[in-house]
Amino acid sequence: MSDTQVSRYEADELGFFGEDWGGRFMPEALVAALDELTDAWRDAMADPEFVAAFEKICREYAGAPSLLYHAERLSAQVGARVLLKREDLNHTGAHKIRNVLGQALLTQRMGKPRVIAETGAGQHGVASATAAAYFGLDCTVYMGAVDTRRQALNVARMHLLGAKVIPVESGSATLKDAINEALRDWVASVDQTAYLFGTAAGPHPFPSMVRDFTRGIGDEARQQCLDQYGVLPDAIAACVGGGSNAIGLFAAFLDDDSVEIHGFEPGGDGVETGRHAATIHAGDTGVLHGARTYVLQDEDGQTVESHSISAGLDYPGVGPQHAHLAAIGRATYAPVTDAQAMDALALLSRTEGIIPAIESAHAIHGGLEVARRLGAERGPDATVVINLSGRGDKDMGTAIEWFGLGDPDKVTAEPVGDPDTDPRAEDAEA
Amino acid sequence: MSTNPSTSTAFDTARAEGRAALVGYLPAGFPSVEGSVEAIKVMVDAGCDVIEIGMPYSDPVMDGPTIQAAAQQALEGGIRTTDLMRVVEAVAATGAPTVVMTYWNPVEHYGGSRRTGRSGVELFAADLASAGGAGLITPDLTPDAGGEWIAAADEHDLDKVFLVAPSSTPERIAMTTAACRGFVYATAVMGVTGARTTTSDLAAPLVARTRETTDLPVGVGLGVSNGDQAAEIASYADGVIVGSAFVRALLDHPDDLPGGLRALRALTEDLAAGVRRA
């Protein structure tokens, strides 16, 4: 990955993608730390020993390369070749392990003994705690108090892995406030502490650095597609919250002009309801957490709370490189509602025997729509790679509630939770 | 030239009196829009030389719990950026030089959006100047990212107060002070806002390093809560900046504005005496 050519999609020295997107809107007190991190990351990525060490841990500990799986029954349904990039099979069950292993390895190289992280549903927190345990680093995770209550199992995982978990009560007590609190910790502890940022957002160098650590997804998928099918895909698809799994997939294909690139944003109850997290589709240009990007905000530039059934996508900003790719038209971004995502979750479970994370189910829904269109236009050899960024075990509580699973009164020989029925409509009638 | 009350004049006056200037911060809309005007007028009356009015923001990464709580209360009370301008106007009318301290997004988004082809920065600068404001303190905007603001501030004759920190390199301090107008804000600690029991040993060296690059006054903020601390900082800095302690005085008197104002007056007098006994 270190010998990848600098492309026109790279950020400039100040971290701007194109003229407008990204940058570093941060307190002066953190600039020295961000400069130090930028230098360390550039230096590391140019060091074959570091790159080899990172690849070795990804391979031997995290399970990379993840499989590229031809979902034949789904393919038959949509009339195109659907390939799933199985990041759900990675250690800890998602693409996020790549990012934290990269950042933790860099932390070790920088000689810092402590890491901090923010987390929403707890996935990045668990991944950070895992990486910290692996490298023997002290780990503190900031998590919105609303989320620590909703995600007790992940709090327990982090505790078991040896991390401290600090509930954040300020603001809306969710992910964005956990980021704020982690930044407050960092400004006071920066000598000894690295901030393992959980997505490809935030101030420079995080959007570029997180992309570099997750771009194995796309590098592998591109090579696997060529090796297994002898062609590049016609299109690739991923879900986009902050956008780390998506940029990790997209990066390898940006210069392949024949490859359509699709990001699917959390549409919540529907963009028209205002209860969504479709930042690019429905947000406005602004600065949040140190980068200029699309932000869900009110007329005064105050951040507005986002809504998604998927905690991992529930963020009112988005990585600035996605904003850039959207603005120049290299990638397209469209919303997928909660209901569409849950339908896709059930569909993938029953068609392929794979229970995806709800985040990834957004990509499944959107990716299958793309596959249907391309299959109709180009025939059944049209190929779509969908990033299956994580597994669904963590989402079973939500699935139980959504589909009415596990209710003794509803136990029948037939599968419950008909994906064609929105259970909330039944509730409304009841 | 603008006829707005100027921070330079306030610092010059203090310097002529052989003392440091007292710079007091309170968020607009806390405890209410009218209440914040009343409170700031007490601070002016009791000895603040320069007023900083904070614009409450949803994601205040530089603020500790005290100012977060006040900002949250103001936002829940429905504070708008247009209310901020009204508070600036009322405070500047007292003759006290009045600067706004705000995170960047509310400025960039003021009165419009880029998606509609309008940037708020120029409009914000124009409205701030016409409300009588002296300038802007930008805690999350550094000069290297602040070209648009610098141009708008110069156009409207406004002060540009950027921050320097103990972690700033000499090159960055020089770059920052070269872009400042009015004064330079030196953050005394590596950390967020909030009263602290002891003053920082990082502040004096930072002020010294800052002075090597500029003749502008240097104000020190973060952690100052009483007259003794103010006196200590006034011995080496041109301005003593106090925020959380003022907010605390009001927070400690919930639903009792008169009580809060009495506490605010007593604190201001203590701090004003402090900057005079250095």
Side-chain angles (χ1 to χ4, degrees), chain A residues 298-354:
Chain A
D298 70 12
E299 285 175 39
D300 281 351
Q302 307 284 355
T303 311
V304 168
E305 219 173 313
S306 56
H307 294 275
S308 170
I309 193 167
S310 157
L313 302 180
D314 199 354
Y315 177 60
V318 64
Q321 190 167 10
H322 288 296
H324 178 232
L325 293 173
I328 62 175
R330 179 63 189 99
T332 59
Y333 297 82
V336 170
T337 64
D338 289 354
Q340 289 170 327
M342 294 307 286
D343 286 359
L345 184 143
L347 176 68
L348 189 67
S349 299
R350 288 164 189 188
T351 311
E352 297 289 343
I354 298 170

Short mmCIF file of all heavy atoms in Angstrom, two decimals, chain A residues 298-354:
data_model
loop_
_atom_site.label_atom_id
_atom_site.label_comp_id
_atom_site.label_asym_id
_atom_site.label_seq_id
_atom_site.Cartn_x
_atom_site.Cartn_y
_atom_site.Cartn_z
N ASP A 298 -28.75 23.24 12.10
CA ASP A 298 -29.88 24.16 11.94
C ASP A 298 -29.41 25.45 11.26
O ASP A 298 -28.26 25.55 10.83
CB ASP A 298 -30.58 24.40 13.28
CG ASP A 298 -29.74 25.23 14.25
OD1 ASP A 298 -28.71 25.82 13.83
OD2 ASP A 298 -30.10 25.29 15.44
N GLU A 299 -30.30 26.39 11.16
CA GLU A 299 -29.99 27.64 10.43
C GLU A 299 -28.81 28.40 11.03
O GLU A 299 -28.19 29.22 10.36
CB GLU A 299 -31.20 28.57 10.47
CG GLU A 299 -32.33 28.19 9.57
CD GLU A 299 -33.52 29.12 9.79
OE1 GLU A 299 -33.30 30.33 9.98
OE2 GLU A 299 -34.65 28.61 9.81
N ASP A 300 -28.54 28.17 12.32
CA ASP A 300 -27.46 28.88 12.99
C ASP A 300 -26.16 28.09 13.04
O ASP A 300 -25.20 28.50 13.70
CB ASP A 300 -27.87 29.22 14.43
CG ASP A 300 -28.79 30.44 14.47
OD1 ASP A 300 -28.95 31.10 13.42
OD2 ASP A 300 -29.33 30.75 15.54
N GLY A 301 -26.14 26.93 12.39
CA GLY A 301 -24.92 26.13 12.42
C GLY A 301 -24.77 25.30 13.68
O GLY A 301 -23.68 24.81 13.97
N GLN A 302 -25.84 25.16 14.45
CA GLN A 302 -25.81 24.25 15.60
C GLN A 302 -26.07 22.84 15.08
O GLN A 302 -26.98 22.64 14.27
CB GLN A 302 -26.89 24.63 16.63
CG GLN A 302 -26.86 26.08 17.08
CD GLN A 302 -25.74 26.40 18.07
OE1 GLN A 302 -25.02 25.50 18.52
NE2 GLN A 302 -25.60 27.66 18.39
N THR A 303 -25.28 21.90 15.58
CA THR A 303 -25.44 20.52 15.12
C THR A 303 -26.80 19.98 15.54
O THR A 303 -27.25 20.20 16.66
CB THR A 303 -24.34 19.63 15.73
OG1 THR A 303 -23.09 20.28 15.54
CG2 THR A 303 -24.31 18.27 15.07
N VAL A 304 -27.45 19.30 14.61
CA VAL A 304 -28.76 18.71 14.88
C VAL A 304 -28.58 17.23 15.15
O VAL A 304 -27.74 16.57 14.54
CB VAL A 304 -29.68 18.93 13.65
CG1 VAL A 304 -30.93 18.10 13.76
CG2 VAL A 304 -30.01 20.40 13.51
N GLU A 305 -29.35 16.70 16.06
CA GLU A 305 -29.24 15.29 16.38
C GLU A 305 -29.64 14.43 15.20
O GLU A 305 -30.63 14.71 14.53
CB GLU A 305 -30.14 14.97 17.57
CG GLU A 305 -29.52 14.00 18.54
CD GLU A 305 -30.38 13.83 19.78
OE1 GLU A 305 -30.83 14.85 20.35
OE2 GLU A 305 -30.62 12.68 20.15
N SER A 306 -28.86 13.37 14.96
CA SER A 306 -29.17 12.47 13.85
C SER A 306 -29.97 11.28 14.37
O SER A 306 -30.01 11.03 15.57
CB SER A 306 -27.86 11.98 13.22
OG SER A 306 -27.04 11.37 14.19
N HIS A 307 -30.61 10.58 13.43
CA HIS A 307 -31.42 9.41 13.81
C HIS A 307 -31.15 8.28 12.83
O HIS A 307 -31.27 8.45 11.63
CB HIS A 307 -32.91 9.75 13.76
CG HIS A 307 -33.31 10.76 14.79
ND1 HIS A 307 -33.64 10.41 16.08
CD2 HIS A 307 -33.41 12.11 14.72
CE1 HIS A 307 -33.92 11.52 16.77
NE2 HIS A 307 -33.78 12.55 15.96
N SER A 308 -30.84 7.13 13.39
CA SER A 308 -30.76 5.93 12.56
C SER A 308 -30.96 4.73 13.46
O SER A 308 -30.56 4.74 14.62
CB SER A 308 -29.40 5.83 11.87
OG SER A 308 -29.26 4.56 11.26
N ILE A 309 -31.57 3.69 12.91
CA ILE A 309 -31.71 2.44 13.67
C ILE A 309 -30.34 1.83 13.91
O ILE A 309 -30.15 1.05 14.84
CB ILE A 309 -32.63 1.46 12.92
CG1 ILE A 309 -33.04 0.32 13.84
CG2 ILE A 309 -31.98 0.96 11.63
CD1 ILE A 309 -34.18 -0.53 13.31
N SER A 310 -29.39 2.22 13.08
CA SER A 310 -28.04 1.70 13.20
C SER A 310 -27.17 2.67 13.97
O SER A 310 -26.84 3.75 13.49
CB SER A 310 -27.47 1.49 11.80
OG SER A 310 -26.07 1.52 11.87
N ALA A 311 -26.80 2.29 15.18
CA ALA A 311 -26.01 3.19 16.02
C ALA A 311 -24.68 3.55 15.35
O ALA A 311 -24.18 4.65 15.49
CB ALA A 311 -25.76 2.55 17.37
N GLY A 312 -24.14 2.61 14.58
CA GLY A 312 -22.84 2.85 13.96
C GLY A 312 -22.88 3.88 12.84
O GLY A 312 -21.84 4.34 12.38
N LEU A 313 -24.07 4.19 12.36
CA LEU A 313 -24.19 5.20 11.30
C LEU A 313 -24.79 6.50 11.82
O LEU A 313 -24.99 7.45 11.06
CB LEU A 313 -25.08 4.66 10.16
CG LEU A 313 -24.64 3.37 9.48
CD1 LEU A 313 -25.63 2.98 8.39
CD2 LEU A 313 -23.24 3.50 8.90
N ASP A 314 -25.08 6.52 13.12
CA ASP A 314 -25.87 7.62 13.69
C ASP A 314 -24.95 8.79 14.05
O ASP A 314 -24.61 8.98 15.22
CB ASP A 314 -26.61 7.08 14.92
CG ASP A 314 -27.77 7.96 15.31
OD1 ASP A 314 -27.94 9.03 14.72
OD2 ASP A 314 -28.52 7.56 16.23
N TYR A 315 -24.51 9.52 13.06
CA TYR A 315 -23.53 10.60 13.28
C TYR A 315 -23.92 11.76 12.37
O TYR A 315 -24.21 11.56 11.19
CB TYR A 315 -22.13 10.08 12.93
CG TYR A 315 -21.02 11.09 13.04
CD1 TYR A 315 -20.75 11.72 14.26
CD2 TYR A 315 -20.23 11.43 11.94
CE1 TYR A 315 -19.73 12.65 14.37
CE2 TYR A 315 -19.21 12.36 12.05
CZ TYR A 315 -18.96 12.96 13.26
OH TYR A 315 -17.95 13.88 13.35
N PRO A 316 -23.95 12.99 12.91
CA PRO A 316 -24.44 14.13 12.11
C PRO A 316 -23.41 14.72 11.14
O PRO A 316 -23.71 15.72 10.49
CB PRO A 316 -24.85 15.15 13.18
CG PRO A 316 -23.99 14.82 14.36
CD PRO A 316 -23.76 13.33 14.33
N GLY A 317 -22.23 14.12 11.07
CA GLY A 317 -21.24 14.56 10.08
C GLY A 317 -20.87 13.40 9.18
O GLY A 317 -21.48 12.33 9.25
N VAL A 318 -19.86 13.60 8.36
CA VAL A 318 -19.39 12.52 7.48
C VAL A 318 -17.94 12.85 7.10
O VAL A 318 -17.54 14.02 7.09
CB VAL A 318 -20.28 12.41 6.22
CG1 VAL A 318 -20.20 13.66 5.36
CG2 VAL A 318 -19.94 11.17 5.39
N GLY A 319 -17.18 11.81 6.83
CA GLY A 319 -15.77 12.03 6.48
C GLY A 319 -15.63 12.97 5.29
O GLY A 319 -16.38 12.87 4.33
N PRO A 320 -14.67 13.90 5.36
CA PRO A 320 -14.57 14.94 4.33
C PRO A 320 -14.21 14.41 2.94
O PRO A 320 -14.56 15.04 1.94
CB PRO A 320 -13.48 15.88 4.86
CG PRO A 320 -12.69 15.06 5.83
CD PRO A 320 -13.67 14.08 6.44
N GLN A 321 -13.54 13.27 2.87
CA GLN A 321 -13.23 12.77 1.53
C GLN A 321 -14.51 12.32 0.82
O GLN A 321 -14.64 12.47 -0.39
CB GLN A 321 -12.21 11.62 1.58
CG GLN A 321 -11.71 11.28 0.17
CD GLN A 321 -10.48 10.39 0.14
OE1 GLN A 321 -10.05 9.85 1.17
NE2 GLN A 321 -9.92 10.22 -1.04
N HIS A 322 -15.46 11.82 1.59
CA HIS A 322 -16.75 11.49 0.98
C HIS A 322 -17.45 12.75 0.48
O HIS A 322 -18.05 12.77 -0.60
CB HIS A 322 -17.66 10.77 1.98
CG HIS A 322 -17.23 9.37 2.28
ND1 HIS A 322 -17.20 8.39 1.33
CD2 HIS A 322 -16.77 8.80 3.43
CE1 HIS A 322 -16.77 7.25 1.88
NE2 HIS A 322 -16.49 7.48 3.15
N ALA A 323 -17.38 13.81 1.28
CA ALA A 323 -17.98 15.08 0.85
C ALA A 323 -17.38 15.52 -0.48
O ALA A 323 -18.07 15.97 -1.39
CB ALA A 323 -17.78 16.15 1.93
N HIS A 324 -16.05 15.36 -0.58
CA HIS A 324 -15.36 15.73 -1.81
C HIS A 324 -15.78 14.85 -2.98
O HIS A 324 -16.11 15.34 -4.07
CB HIS A 324 -13.84 15.64 -1.58
CG HIS A 324 -13.02 15.96 -2.79
ND1 HIS A 324 -12.03 15.13 -3.26
CD2 HIS A 324 -13.06 17.01 -3.63
CE1 HIS A 324 -11.49 15.67 -4.35
NE2 HIS A 324 -12.09 16.81 -4.60
N LEU A 325 -15.79 13.54 -2.75
CA LEU A 325 -16.17 12.61 -3.83
C LEU A 325 -17.60 12.87 -4.30
O LEU A 325 -17.91 12.75 -5.48
CB LEU A 325 -16.02 11.16 -3.36
CG LEU A 325 -14.58 10.70 -3.09
CD1 LEU A 325 -14.57 9.30 -2.48
CD2 LEU A 325 -13.73 10.75 -4.35
N ALA A 326 -18.47 13.26 -3.35
CA ALA A 326 -19.85 13.59 -3.72
C ALA A 326 -19.88 14.88 -4.53
O ALA A 326 -20.55 14.97 -5.57
CB ALA A 326 -20.71 13.73 -2.47
N ALA A 327 -19.12 15.87 -4.07
CA ALA A 327 -19.16 17.18 -4.72
C ALA A 327 -18.63 17.12 -6.15
O ALA A 327 -19.15 17.81 -7.04
CB ALA A 327 -18.36 18.20 -3.89
N ILE A 328 -17.61 16.29 -6.38
CA ILE A 328 -17.06 16.22 -7.75
C ILE A 328 -17.74 15.13 -8.57
O ILE A 328 -17.40 14.93 -9.74
CB ILE A 328 -15.53 15.98 -7.73
CG1 ILE A 328 -15.19 14.64 -7.07
CG2 ILE A 328 -14.81 17.14 -7.04
CD1 ILE A 328 -13.70 14.28 -7.13
N GLY A 329 -18.66 14.40 -7.95
CA GLY A 329 -19.43 13.42 -8.70
C GLY A 329 -18.73 12.08 -8.91
O GLY A 329 -19.22 11.24 -9.67
N ARG A 330 -17.60 11.86 -8.24
CA ARG A 330 -16.93 10.57 -8.42
C ARG A 330 -17.69 9.45 -7.73
O ARG A 330 -17.62 8.29 -8.14
CB ARG A 330 -15.47 10.63 -7.91
CG ARG A 330 -14.71 9.30 -8.04
CD ARG A 330 -14.56 8.87 -9.50
NE ARG A 330 -14.03 7.51 -9.66
CZ ARG A 330 -14.77 6.42 -9.90
NH1 ARG A 330 -16.09 6.52 -9.98
NH2 ARG A 330 -14.21 5.24 -10.05
N ALA A 331 -18.37 9.78 -6.65
CA ALA A 331 -19.21 8.79 -5.97
C ALA A 331 -20.59 9.38 -5.78
O ALA A 331 -20.75 10.60 -5.73
CB ALA A 331 -18.60 8.43 -4.61
N THR A 332 -21.58 8.50 -5.71
CA THR A 332 -22.94 8.99 -5.44
C THR A 332 -23.39 8.44 -4.09
O THR A 332 -23.02 7.34 -3.69
CB THR A 332 -23.94 8.55 -6.52
OG1 THR A 332 -23.93 7.12 -6.56
CG2 THR A 332 -23.58 9.09 -7.88
N TYR A 333 -24.18 9.24 -3.41
CA TYR A 333 -24.62 8.88 -2.06
C TYR A 333 -26.14 8.99 -2.01
O TYR A 333 -26.71 10.00 -2.45
CB TYR A 333 -23.98 9.81 -1.03
CG TYR A 333 -22.47 9.65 -1.00
CD1 TYR A 333 -21.66 10.33 -1.94
CD2 TYR A 333 -21.84 8.81 -0.09
CE1 TYR A 333 -20.28 10.17 -1.95
CE2 TYR A 333 -20.46 8.64 -0.10
CZ TYR A 333 -19.68 9.32 -1.02
OH TYR A 333 -18.32 9.16 -1.04
N ALA A 334 -26.77 7.95 -1.51
CA ALA A 334 -28.23 7.94 -1.45
C ALA A 334 -28.67 7.38 -0.10
O ALA A 334 -27.96 6.57 0.50
CB ALA A 334 -28.79 7.10 -2.59
N PRO A 335 -29.82 7.80 0.37
CA PRO A 335 -30.29 7.31 1.66
C PRO A 335 -30.99 5.95 1.55
O PRO A 335 -31.63 5.66 0.55
CB PRO A 335 -31.29 8.39 2.10
CG PRO A 335 -31.78 9.01 0.84
CD PRO A 335 -30.69 8.86 -0.18
N VAL A 336 -30.84 5.16 2.60
CA VAL A 336 -31.57 3.90 2.76
C VAL A 336 -32.27 3.98 4.11
O VAL A 336 -31.62 4.26 5.13
CB VAL A 336 -30.60 2.69 2.71
CG1 VAL A 336 -31.30 1.41 3.12
CG2 VAL A 336 -29.98 2.57 1.33
N THR A 337 -33.57 3.76 4.13
CA THR A 337 -34.30 3.94 5.39
C THR A 337 -34.05 2.77 6.34
O THR A 337 -33.58 1.71 5.95
CB THR A 337 -35.82 4.04 5.13
OG1 THR A 337 -36.26 2.78 4.59
CG2 THR A 337 -36.15 5.16 4.17
N ASP A 338 -34.44 3.00 7.60
CA ASP A 338 -34.39 1.93 8.60
C ASP A 338 -35.11 0.69 8.09
O ASP A 338 -34.61 -0.43 8.19
CB ASP A 338 -35.08 2.39 9.90
CG ASP A 338 -34.30 3.43 10.67
OD1 ASP A 338 -33.16 3.74 10.28
OD2 ASP A 338 -34.85 3.94 11.67
N ALA A 339 -36.31 0.90 7.56
CA ALA A 339 -37.14 -0.24 7.14
C ALA A 339 -36.49 -0.99 5.98
O ALA A 339 -36.49 -2.23 5.96
CB ALA A 339 -38.54 0.26 6.75
N GLN A 340 -35.93 -0.25 5.03
CA GLN A 340 -35.25 -0.90 3.90
C GLN A 340 -34.04 -1.71 4.39
O GLN A 340 -33.78 -2.82 3.92
CB GLN A 340 -34.80 0.15 2.88
CG GLN A 340 -35.96 0.77 2.11
CD GLN A 340 -35.54 1.97 1.28
OE1 GLN A 340 -34.64 2.72 1.66
NE2 GLN A 340 -36.21 2.16 0.15
N ALA A 341 -33.31 -1.12 5.35
CA ALA A 341 -32.13 -1.82 5.87
C ALA A 341 -32.54 -3.09 6.60
O ALA A 341 -31.90 -4.14 6.44
CB ALA A 341 -31.35 -0.89 6.80
N MET A 342 -33.60 -3.01 7.39
CA MET A 342 -34.03 -4.20 8.13
C MET A 342 -34.55 -5.27 7.18
O MET A 342 -34.34 -6.47 7.41
CB MET A 342 -35.07 -3.82 9.19
CG MET A 342 -34.53 -2.92 10.31
SD MET A 342 -33.04 -3.54 11.14
CE MET A 342 -33.74 -4.86 12.13
N ASP A 343 -35.22 -4.86 6.12
CA ASP A 343 -35.63 -5.83 5.10
C ASP A 343 -34.40 -6.54 4.52
O ASP A 343 -34.40 -7.76 4.34
CB ASP A 343 -36.34 -5.13 3.93
CG ASP A 343 -37.75 -4.69 4.31
OD1 ASP A 343 -38.18 -4.97 5.45
OD2 ASP A 343 -38.41 -4.08 3.45
N ALA A 344 -33.38 -5.77 4.23
CA ALA A 344 -32.17 -6.34 3.64
C ALA A 344 -31.48 -7.27 4.63
O ALA A 344 -30.90 -8.30 4.25
CB ALA A 344 -31.22 -5.22 3.20
N LEU A 345 -31.55 -6.92 5.91
CA LEU A 345 -30.97 -7.76 6.95
C LEU A 345 -31.63 -9.13 6.95
O LEU A 345 -30.98 -10.18 6.99
CB LEU A 345 -31.09 -7.07 8.31
CG LEU A 345 -30.45 -7.77 9.52
CD1 LEU A 345 -29.84 -6.73 10.46
CD2 LEU A 345 -31.47 -8.60 10.27
N ALA A 346 -32.97 -9.12 6.88
CA ALA A 346 -33.70 -10.40 6.86
C ALA A 346 -33.43 -11.15 5.56
O ALA A 346 -33.22 -12.37 5.56
CB ALA A 346 -35.20 -10.14 7.03
N LEU A 347 -33.39 -10.41 4.46
CA LEU A 347 -33.16 -11.03 3.15
C LEU A 347 -31.81 -11.75 3.10
O LEU A 347 -31.72 -12.91 2.68
CB LEU A 347 -33.23 -9.96 2.05
CG LEU A 347 -32.92 -10.44 0.63
CD1 LEU A 347 -34.04 -11.36 0.14
CD2 LEU A 347 -32.76 -9.26 -0.32
N LEU A 348 -30.77 -11.08 3.55
CA LEU A 348 -29.44 -11.69 3.51
C LEU A 348 -29.37 -12.89 4.46
O LEU A 348 -28.78 -13.92 4.14
CB LEU A 348 -28.35 -10.67 3.86
CG LEU A 348 -26.92 -11.16 3.64
CD1 LEU A 348 -26.65 -11.36 2.15
CD2 LEU A 348 -25.90 -10.22 4.25
N SER A 349 -30.03 -12.76 5.61
CA SER A 349 -30.04 -13.85 6.57
C SER A 349 -30.67 -15.09 5.94
O SER A 349 -30.14 -16.20 6.06
CB SER A 349 -30.83 -13.45 7.82
OG SER A 349 -30.23 -12.33 8.43
N ARG A 350 -31.79 -14.90 5.24
CA ARG A 350 -32.55 -16.05 4.75
C ARG A 350 -32.09 -16.54 3.38
O ARG A 350 -32.35 -17.69 3.02
CB ARG A 350 -34.03 -15.67 4.69
CG ARG A 350 -34.59 -15.59 6.10
CD ARG A 350 -35.89 -14.88 6.19
NE ARG A 350 -36.21 -14.67 7.60
CZ ARG A 350 -37.36 -14.20 8.03
NH1 ARG A 350 -38.30 -13.87 7.16
NH2 ARG A 350 -37.57 -14.05 9.31
N THR A 351 -31.42 -15.68 2.64
CA THR A 351 -30.99 -16.08 1.30
C THR A 351 -29.58 -16.65 1.30
O THR A 351 -29.27 -17.54 0.52
CB THR A 351 -31.05 -14.87 0.34
OG1 THR A 351 -32.32 -14.25 0.50
CG2 THR A 351 -30.90 -15.32 -1.10
N GLU A 352 -28.74 -16.12 2.18
CA GLU A 352 -27.34 -16.55 2.17
C GLU A 352 -26.87 -17.13 3.49
O GLU A 352 -25.71 -17.55 3.61
CB GLU A 352 -26.44 -15.36 1.78
CG GLU A 352 -26.70 -14.81 0.38
CD GLU A 352 -26.23 -15.76 -0.73
OE1 GLU A 352 -25.43 -16.67 -0.44
OE2 GLU A 352 -26.67 -15.58 -1.88
N GLY A 353 -27.73 -17.09 4.52
CA GLY A 353 -27.28 -17.58 5.82
C GLY A 353 -26.24 -16.69 6.47
O GLY A 353 -25.35 -17.15 7.18
N ILE A 354 -26.34 -15.40 6.21
CA ILE A 354 -25.40 -14.44 6.79
C ILE A 354 -26.22 -13.34 7.47
O ILE A 354 -27.02 -12.66 6.80
CB ILE A 354 -24.51 -13.78 5.71
CG1 ILE A 354 -23.64 -14.84 5.01
CG2 ILE A 354 -23.63 -12.70 6.34
CD1 ILE A 354 -22.92 -14.30 3.78
#
